[in-house]
Amino acid sequence: MNGTMAASSNRIMLGPLVAAIDQGTSSTRFLVFNAKTAELLSHHQVEIKQSFPKEGWVEEDPKEILQSVYECMDRTCEKLTQLNIDISNIKAIGVTNQRETTLVWDKETGEPLYNAIVWLDLRTQSTVERLINKTPGRNKNHLKHKTGLPISTYFSAVKLRWLMDNVEKVHEAVLSHRAMFGTVDSWLIWCLTGGKKGGVHCTDVTNASRTMLFNIHTMDWDPELCKYFDIPMEILPKVRSSSEIYGLMKSGPLTGVPISGCLGDQSAALVGQMCFKDGQAKNTYGTGCFLLKNVGTKPVMSDHGLLTTVAYKLGRDKPACYALEGSVAIAGAVVRWLKDNLGIIQTSTELEELAADVGTSYGCYFVPAFSGLYAPYWEPSARGIICGLTQFTNRSHLAFAALEAVCFQTREILDAMNQDSGIHLSQLQVDGGMTSNRLLMQLQADILCIPVVKPSMPETTALGAAMAAGAAEGVSVWSLTPEDLTEVTSEKFEPQINPEESELRYARWKKAVQRAMNWETTEPVNNGNEETSIFSSVPLGFYILGSMFMLIGAKYIAAGQK
């Protein structure tokens, strides 16, 4: 009897709970937080399989993604019950997702019409070239004034265009008005709120702003952009704010709970890090690296290769806030490459140990441009390069160079942000899987010459989605007022090397990046100059001219002797 009373009083003490679905590139998680303290109470994670049908192609199965969400929900609810926590205390669910990943499904059958094309996928390179060719002056920034984005393989509209052009089932469904397009958030919300039996087809402003079909000034789908990509507007989801009730769960242990928060993963991390003031920034270290800086309620367009994106809109009647974003395609993926492709490490922790052993790259620089370079270059022809090797270089130096590469790429983006926004960052807030690597965090502080601050609760992406869901009108169990937000404990890494050494290493890195550029081109090699003439090299020109004069002279001498 006493045990039951203790359990029930324990339930009362906890107060309202808020859950988050965190659907990432490599895994799905379901997490439950205490709305009053932001404490993580329980979670479950399921890996997601990626398939690579051809080189540069990256796909995932939409049904597997959905199934993984149900599995994570069920397991987490079981764990909560074992902890004597009443799951009826879960008052809302937020969704955060891998952005730009593109799905098309049939609204009548509820079936996906093709696999999800993942954000990293490069199959649309020729589609991108065709689109750029039809712009005045072949300008990849032709749509930037409306979208904040360059025309690139990265964004959803070109992936959708590829599906409509290359997949018969998609083409037919569009013609017969059965097709629905969405990013992962739209697919999940539609399925969880009933699917073909009245599911809600919507997305939020942050995910919409990554499609290239959304006008970041009018905050809606843009007819001209849709016409440019030749995409019918009827297949697009309705755009909503990041914090409002979209619909109710229709099955499983949480039936009837509202889904009331939705943010693309990087925006969710910005909210979870509580970067609500102009000039605050966070960097998430995952498969890629994503640095977002809050620039307030007016979009700032970048002159330095960054994206302008919607950061969040926390309520129907609340203003939208914007961010400058720099994306690095390869961060954690470097570790996976060293492990799976080269076999020089067995685990990610081994990378940190190897690098710490030597404490230097010994002049070795690694540019991991495996799928081109993202911000600030947007150069798809770049390829990975390791340079500065000597007979002393060993795998430990390479491990150190790989960690440094992540830090240098972040520094390039931060420099561009400081130039664009005019506000110099005084510290960088960090989150994501790689932040458990303490050497990486210290290196990042050294290379940026500013402190790096890591929260002790690393699940900031899921936390951001839970905050948006709990704060929604009609739920209101989570306060987003800065003074009500509990002070999250964190660890600070201060720079430990002098700025001169930092600058020297950074300058060397930039030199390595230049070497990696324009690798995948069909043009003749031209030493970086426009002309490919043999005379473009002055010493070579003198040598050839001299040789010609000598030949002519020799001919005359020979003729005279005859």
Side-chain angles (χ1 to χ4, degrees), residues 39 54 221 244 296 317 370 418 421 534:
E39 178 197 359
K54 294 183 184 175
W221 302 123
E244 60 178 90
D317 308 320
F370 300 152
N418 288 338
S421 66
I534 51 174

Side-chain angles (χ1 to χ4, degrees), residues 161-182:
R161 186 65 260 159
W162 186 92
L163 286 165
M164 289 165 66
D165 290 339
N166 294 280
V167 180
E168 190 56 39
K169 272 174 146 179
V170 172
H171 179 67
E172 284 171 8
V174 170
L175 289 180
S176 57
H177 309 287
R178 294 189 334 271
M180 280 185 161
F181 153 79

Side-chain angles (χ1 to χ4, degrees), residues 281-283 285 291 410 425 427-430 448 450-453:
K282 69 89 206 167
N283 196 20
Y285 299 76
L291 209 161
T410 299
L425 205 61
Q427 63 175 38
L428 181 66
Q429 285 161 249
V430 299
L448 295 180
I450 58 171
V452 164
V453 181

Side-chain angles (χ1 to χ4, degrees), residues 273-300:
Q273 287 269 28
M274 296 165 208
C275 294
F276 293 129
K277 290 198 189 90
D278 289 18
Q280 288 185 309
K282 69 89 206 167
N283 196 20
T284 299
Y285 299 76
T287 303
C289 239
F290 298 90
L291 209 161
L292 268 72
K293 185 176 198 174
N294 188 334
V295 295
T297 53
K298 288 197 171 60
V300 172

Side-chain angles (χ1 to χ4, degrees), residues 372-394:
L373 286 165
Y374 281 15
Y377 300 102
W378 296 103
E379 189 45 77
S381 69
R383 283 297 174 268
I385 185 170
I386 299 169
C387 53
L389 301 174
T390 71
Q391 71 268 40
F392 295 109
T393 312
N394 62 32

Side-chain angles (χ1 to χ4, degrees), residues 310-538:
V310 179
Y312 51 80
K313 178 176 160 61
L314 296 172
R316 237 176 285 198
D317 308 320
K318 297 281 179 13
C321 281
Y322 296 88
L324 277 172
E325 173 174 338
S327 345
V328 169
I330 304 293
V334 170
V335 184
R336 205 173 308 138
W337 184 79
L338 290 172
K339 180 165 79 75
D340 299 343
N341 294 32
L342 294 197
I344 67 170
I345 54 166
Q346 255 54 75
T347 63
S348 358
T349 45
E350 199 185 335
L351 181 76
E352 185 177 359
E353 288 158 16
L354 272 180
D357 278 351
V358 284
T360 171
S361 69
Y362 204 81
C364 166
Y365 287 83
F366 184 174
V367 182
F370 300 152
S371 48
L373 286 165
Y374 281 15
Y377 300 102
W378 296 103
E379 189 45 77
S381 69
R383 283 297 174 268
I385 185 170
I386 299 169
C387 53
L389 301 174
T390 71
Q391 71 268 40
F392 295 109
T393 312
N394 62 32
R395 67 188 188 126
S396 298
H397 299 126
L398 191 56
F400 194 94
L403 293 181
E404 258 190 337
V406 176
C407 301
F408 286 133
Q409 290 178 104
T410 299
R411 164 81 192 261
E412 288 193 297
I413 289 170
L414 205 57
D415 281 1
M417 277 186 181
N418 288 338
Q419 287 173 288
D420 279 326
S421 66
I423 308 168
H424 278 252
L425 205 61
S426 55
Q427 63 175 38
L428 181 66
Q429 285 161 249
V430 299
D431 56 73
M434 282 186 93
T435 58
S436 60
N437 185 324
R438 298 178 59 81
L439 175 62
L440 177 72
M441 294 296 96
Q442 186 54 56
L443 267 174
Q444 189 67 86
D446 290 346
I447 286 165
L448 295 180
C449 304
I450 58 171
V452 164
V453 181
K454 174 194 168 188
S456 48
M457 205 283 291
E459 304 295 351
T460 49
T461 303
L463 178 62
M467 286 164 67
E473 190 184 335
V475 179
S476 305
V477 295
W478 204 308
S479 166
L480 298 182
T481 312
E483 45 272 24
D484 293 343
L485 296 168
T486 37
E487 193 54 52
V488 179
T489 54
S490 56
E491 184 178 1
K492 203 174 205 178
F493 295 84
E494 298 280 355
Q496 288 177 358
I497 64 172
N498 67 45
E500 289 74 27
E501 191 195 332
S502 179
E503 290 305 321
L504 180 74
R505 278 155 61 179
Y506 183 45
R508 278 285 186 84
W509 155 262
K510 304 270 278 192
K511 202 168 153 187
V513 170
Q514 289 310 315
R515 300 277 194 280
M517 293 289 198
N518 302 312
W519 196 266
E520 273 300 307
T521 58
T522 49
E523 288 155 30
V525 176
N526 61 13
N527 301 319
N529 296 325
E530 284 306 308
E531 310 104 79
T532 51
S533 154
I534 51 174
F535 298 108
S536 59
S537 157
V538 175

Side-chain angles (χ1 to χ4, degrees), residues 22 32 74 84 136 140 149 163 236 238 245 267 295 304 309 354 357 371 375 389 401 418 433 441 513 515 542:
D22 181 355
V32 177
D74 291 348
N84 269 337
K140 68 181 169 198
L149 313 171
L163 286 165
L236 306 178
K238 187 171 166 36
I245 295 174
S267 286
V295 295
H304 300 92
T309 199
L354 272 180
D357 278 351
S371 48
L389 301 174
N418 288 338
M441 294 296 96
V513 170
R515 300 277 194 280
F542 279 133

